[in-house]
Amino acid sequence: MRSLAFALCVFPLALDAQQEGAPKPAALEIAFLDSGYTLSLSVPASEIVGFELPASSAEEKAKVAVAISDLSQPMTLFAVTAEAGCATATANVALVGGEAGSALGPDDHRPEFQAEYTIRCSNLQALGEMRFDYFDRFSQAERVDVRVQSPGGSHAVAVTRETPLVDLSELM
């Protein structure tokens, strides 16, 4: 039954993303652990660096390097209250599908940045809101489809530039 409820919540988000020729929106999965949480981010490269890959000029290659560096700092992109005492334990960022010389066909997947983070917290109950400063850093970002996995079940919410907050205390 929970799977059906989750599917009904996520299905409208997926339909919105299937506009003809449009890249899928960024997606962030949050999964709570005993002493923190994990984040899994996938985002179209064009939303992060402002152009379709592969990067050809030195300037474009520098933008990709800066993007990887910025994406490697999840606490500055997805900020939580200081009272929770959270810090990044691991951060792994990769660019997938943007190899030089590869041309995209109509059915090919667009290049995207993928990131996996582990966040440790000394007071998880104080987590409260997550503020998406991600939108401040990446000016072309408009929406992130968020899925939260917790002992209480799965929840889906679309976070936008206009509403860049998620109240995690209600979803844990």
Side-chain angles (χ1 to χ4, degrees):
M1 187 66 165
R2 281 187 183 171
S3 296
L4 177 60
F6 175 72
L8 292 174
C9 290
V10 173
F11 188 67
L13 297 175
L15 284 178
D16 288 348
Q18 297 304 314
Q19 297 174 4
E20 193 67 34
K24 65 181 181 176
L28 179 69
E29 184 170 323
I30 304 170
F32 286 100
L33 309 169
D34 290 335
S35 60
Y37 55 95
T38 61
L39 300 170
S40 296
L41 176 70
S42 62
V43 58
S46 61
E47 187 173 300
I48 298 294
V49 293
F51 58 88
E52 282 292 332
L53 294 167
S56 55
S57 70
E59 180 183 349
E60 288 177 343
K61 291 176 183 178
K63 284 184 178 182
V64 170
V66 168
I68 289 172
S69 176
D70 290 348
L71 287 168
S72 296
Q73 302 174 45
M75 300 307 295
T76 62
L77 301 173
F78 310 106
V80 296
T81 58
E83 292 81 17
C86 297
T88 304
T90 64
N92 297 302
V93 180
L95 176 59
V96 178
E99 296 79 19
S102 62
L104 291 176
D107 296 330
D108 290 339
H109 295 288
R110 302 265 181 229
E112 65 182 20
F113 287 94
Q114 295 179 352
E116 299 288 330
Y117 312 107
T118 302
I119 310 298
R120 299 285 180 224
C121 303
S122 60
N123 185 7
L124 194 58
Q125 275 51 38
L127 202 54
E129 291 182 334
M130 179 178 282
R131 188 180 67 247
F132 281 64
D133 292 339
Y134 168 88
F135 294 112
D136 294 334
R137 171 54 191 94
F138 301 112
S139 61
Q140 296 192 0
E142 294 295 326
R143 170 180 162 168
V144 178
D145 290 342
V146 178
R147 188 173 72 194
V148 180
Q149 301 284 335
S150 70
S154 295
H155 308 278
V157 62
V159 180
T160 65
R161 180 173 292 283
E162 293 77 30
T163 56
L165 295 173
V166 172
D167 188 352
L168 296 174
S169 64
E170 294 179 358
L171 304 176
M172 292 188 344

